[in-house]
Amino acid sequence: MKTKSTLISMVFQDLKRGIKNKRFWMILIVMGIMAALTMVFDGVWAVQKVKMGVPPGEFDGVSFTARDEIDIITGSGLFVYYMPFLAAIAYSYSIMDDWKHGYYHQIVQRCSMKKYFWSRFISNALLGGILLVLIYAVIVGVAELGITYNPFLRDVVDYYTNTESYKVSYNASIRWGRHILCDSLNYVAWRLLGCVQFFGMGVLYGAISGVIAFMTSNRVLVYAAPVLILGLWEKWLYAVILLFQKNEMVTETLRYFFIKPYVGSFGYLILYGFLVFLIVLVLCIAKVLEPKIMERYREGGSER
């Protein structure tokens, strides 16, 4: 007699399967290399400024510290728009492969179709969050080890950190709208808060791609959907902000609803609330689409 798998055990199996996949680690390696190359290119000019003896405070916008490099990389448009794509490919390929090759027939012999659907959906969302957190951790690690704790760059780092602008420019505060709840968050706590935001964003992107992967085997659509949704949402927000640009309260409020991982928004509690709302919304959409997805799978995969 075959034992029936529980939903929790299936999710853990999926998580292990996803984390052990070579694609998962290749993404981390590539992102680490890209971050390191960016820091090398930035460091060449920064070191030249030091050798030229430019007085502190006259860097023409050039800075070279681990803190600044992390913020520059994670705040770049290319990085921000890659995140939904990377969260989508973290595990949604397994849903499409199960459909394409009929593997799900073997899996549902040990569980119900409903458990299969929800285990894959939850795993896809969680692995999207885990991947984005690890990418952020890799960037922070490369920056700290390559700059802050690099003995060959100690003089350069001291040159850029011993300035008043560096000491006062970092705004690590937690806000609820205009109300500042904490304005003295330390560096480590700020980075941990960033991990929370990256995880939440990854869960959202992974959940979106998971729902779509159950509806279609078109990989381009599955991987691109979170990016398209993010882009369209931002365009709409920018249009509304421009429309109400004279209303300061409206424009400031809308800035808390940009669903992208960004260092400047780590302390926006309203954004976290909105993120939870969107994740719950995707869960509800998945629940509504569940009968249709069940029907598609019971028909035996006419698309294959």
Side-chain angles (χ1 to χ4, degrees):
M1 181 178 179
K2 296 182 179 179
T3 58
K4 292 287 184 179
S5 300
T6 64
L7 179 61
I8 295 176
S9 66
M10 291 178 66
V11 170
F12 275 109
Q13 289 173 9
D14 289 341
L15 291 178
K16 289 192 292 184
R17 176 186 172 189
I19 292 174
K20 289 180 179 180
N21 191 278
K22 293 180 181 179
R23 182 182 312 192
F24 191 89
W25 293 102
M26 282 301 298
I27 292 172
L28 292 177
I29 292 170
V30 170
M31 293 303 294
I33 292 173
M34 290 177 63
L37 290 175
T38 301
M39 294 173 197
V40 169
F41 293 141
D42 290 345
V44 170
W45 176 237
V47 171
Q48 288 299 318
K49 297 286 282 187
V50 176
K51 290 183 177 180
M52 291 165 58
V54 178
E58 299 180 11
F59 303 141
D60 299 329
V62 176
S63 182
F64 192 64
T65 63
R67 189 189 76 183
D68 292 328
E69 285 299 305
I70 294 168
D71 293 349
I72 289 170
I73 293 172
T74 58
S76 66
L78 182 62
F79 178 86
V80 167
Y81 284 102
Y82 255 112
M83 290 304 99
F85 171 74
L86 295 178
I89 67 175
Y91 198 59
S92 58
Y93 63 86
S94 68
I95 299 173
M96 292 180 285
D97 286 346
D98 286 352
W99 168 265
K100 180 179 179 180
H101 302 290
Y103 296 151
Y104 70 92
H105 287 299
Q106 302 172 18
I107 298 173
V108 296
Q109 290 178 8
R110 304 190 304 270
C111 66
S112 64
M113 190 65 219
K114 184 174 183 178
K115 283 183 181 178
Y116 169 77
F117 167 68
W118 285 108
S119 67
R120 282 289 194 269
F121 173 77
I122 293 171
S123 302
N124 203 67
L126 291 177
L127 281 167
I130 292 170
L131 181 59
L132 293 202
V133 170
L134 290 179
I135 289 173
Y136 183 62
V138 166
I139 293 172
V140 172
V142 169
E144 294 292 347
L145 292 175
I147 300 177
T148 305
Y149 298 102
N150 189 336
F152 301 103
L153 294 176
R154 187 151 303 180
D155 293 339
V156 177
V157 173
D158 290 341
Y159 184 80
Y160 285 105
T161 56
N162 292 329
T163 62
E164 290 300 321
S165 62
Y166 177 84
K167 295 175 183 177
V168 302
S169 63
Y170 207 67
N171 182 23
S173 61
I174 298 178
R175 300 168 175 265
W176 179 263
R178 294 185 177 183
H179 302 287
I180 299 177
L181 305 180
C182 176
D183 60 353
S184 57
L185 203 64
N186 64 53
Y187 181 76
V188 175
W190 185 251
R191 292 303 174 196
L192 290 175
L193 196 59
C195 289
V196 173
Q197 186 180 107
F198 271 79
F199 179 76
M201 297 288 182
V203 168
L204 175 62
Y205 303 144
I208 292 172
S209 63
V211 171
I212 298 173
F214 275 109
M215 301 295 293
T216 178
S217 56
N218 188 324
R219 292 179 183 268
V220 174
L221 179 59
V222 172
Y223 297 154
V227 182
L228 294 173
I229 291 172
L230 173 62
L232 291 172
W233 175 253
E234 287 207 342
K235 296 297 183 184
W236 181 83
L237 278 181
Y238 280 127
V240 176
I241 288 174
L242 289 175
L243 185 63
F244 294 95
Q245 58 183 328
K246 294 182 179 180
N247 191 322
E248 185 178 350
M249 186 181 73
V250 173
T251 55
E252 283 192 12
T253 302
L254 289 176
R255 295 184 191 279
Y256 297 124
F257 296 94
F258 284 95
I259 50 174
K260 61 182 180 181
Y262 177 61
V263 64
S265 63
F266 285 175
Y268 293 169
L269 295 185
I270 292 178
L271 175 60
Y272 291 96
F274 182 59
L275 196 56
V276 171
F277 166 76
L278 290 178
I279 293 172
V280 173
L281 179 62
V282 177
L283 280 170
C284 293
I285 293 173
K287 183 63 178 176
V288 171
L289 292 175
E290 181 182 352
K292 188 174 183 179
I293 293 171
M294 297 298 102
E295 182 182 354
R296 177 175 184 251
Y297 275 74
R298 289 193 188 100
E299 289 176 352
S302 58
E303 295 181 18
R304 288 186 278 113

